[in-house]
Amino acid sequence: MDPVLGKRASLALAIAPEALTSEIAASLIGALNAELATRYPEPGATHFRLDPTEVAPGAGAFVVARLSGRPVGCGAVRSLRDPALVRELGPGVGELKRMYVAPDVRGHGIGRGLLPRLEEEARALGLTRLVLETGTRQAEALALYRNAGFTGIPAYGEYRMSPGTSVCLAKLLSAVESLE
């Protein structure tokens, strides 16, 4: 039995879209920002920006993971539309942003649940490739992404300005993938 999630953990987890402007989103993102600011105190090492228009219908999605009704994680996907990023990364590319799981439920599959849901959202937007940036001091995040098929790419966009702390990854999306 899982001591945190309980015997029927998979049945208790629900992942659904949420407005980026909601109090729940603000609370989860606030916790994420506080953690990142502690892990990466050096100037220029954190990249907190995500605008509501970037996750509006047709442009992206923001989702929240709830465990027995309690918000415990979040993540976003945004379609990259900035001309400079499209030139750099190609068309049909989306970026994962603001992935977070509350510390007390880490290691129990919440991130592994969020990631395929965000990939599903990306496919619905017509995206064929995902990119992301995570930090060098986030071994758990790096393991999650690499186990899900993400591979290293050169730093792109604003992340080129933080080469000592940024790790950039990418994954090609298949047309249809099971969420088993």
Side-chain angles (χ1 to χ4, degrees):
M1 176 190 261
D2 186 309
V4 174
L5 303 183
K7 188 175 178 181
R8 297 176 166 237
S10 63
L11 298 178
L13 183 65
I15 301 172
E18 180 83 26
L20 185 61
T21 55
S22 75
E23 288 182 27
I24 291 168
S27 176
L28 289 166
I29 290 173
L32 169 62
N33 290 351
E35 181 177 327
L36 292 176
T38 299
R39 283 194 194 203
Y40 302 94
E42 53 270 61
T46 53
H47 307 275
F48 292 162
R49 193 189 67 73
L50 181 65
D51 297 324
T53 57
E54 295 176 307
V55 292
F62 180 80
V63 298
V64 168
R66 287 179 173 80
L67 186 62
S68 299
R70 175 184 159 219
V72 295
C74 63
V77 60
R78 66 177 181 155
S79 178
L80 293 178
R81 297 180 174 173
D82 176 84
L85 285 174
V86 172
R87 277 192 305 278
E88 184 176 359
L89 298 168
V93 177
E95 183 179 31
L96 292 183
K97 299 284 289 181
R98 313 311 350 233
M99 282 282 293
Y100 174 74
V101 174
D104 66 317
V105 295
R106 288 184 186 157
H108 299 285
I110 309 298
R112 286 189 310 273
L114 279 165
L115 197 50
R117 175 58 188 265
L118 290 168
E119 290 178 6
E120 179 184 323
E121 296 286 347
R123 283 186 200 88
L125 291 166
L127 302 174
T128 57
R129 182 176 179 232
L130 285 175
V131 297
L132 64 88
E133 180 270 350
T134 191
T136 56
R137 299 176 196 141
Q138 291 168 266
E140 66 284 1
L142 286 164
L144 171 71
Y145 297 132
R146 288 186 172 132
N147 287 337
F150 284 82
T151 58
I153 61 170
Y156 62 93
E158 67 183 323
Y159 311 119
R160 286 191 304 263
M161 301 305 290
S162 53
T165 56
S166 288
V167 177
C168 294
L169 304 168
K171 178 181 180 178
L172 290 175
L173 296 176
S174 60
V176 177
E177 201 165 290
S178 172
L179 291 180
E180 293 179 36

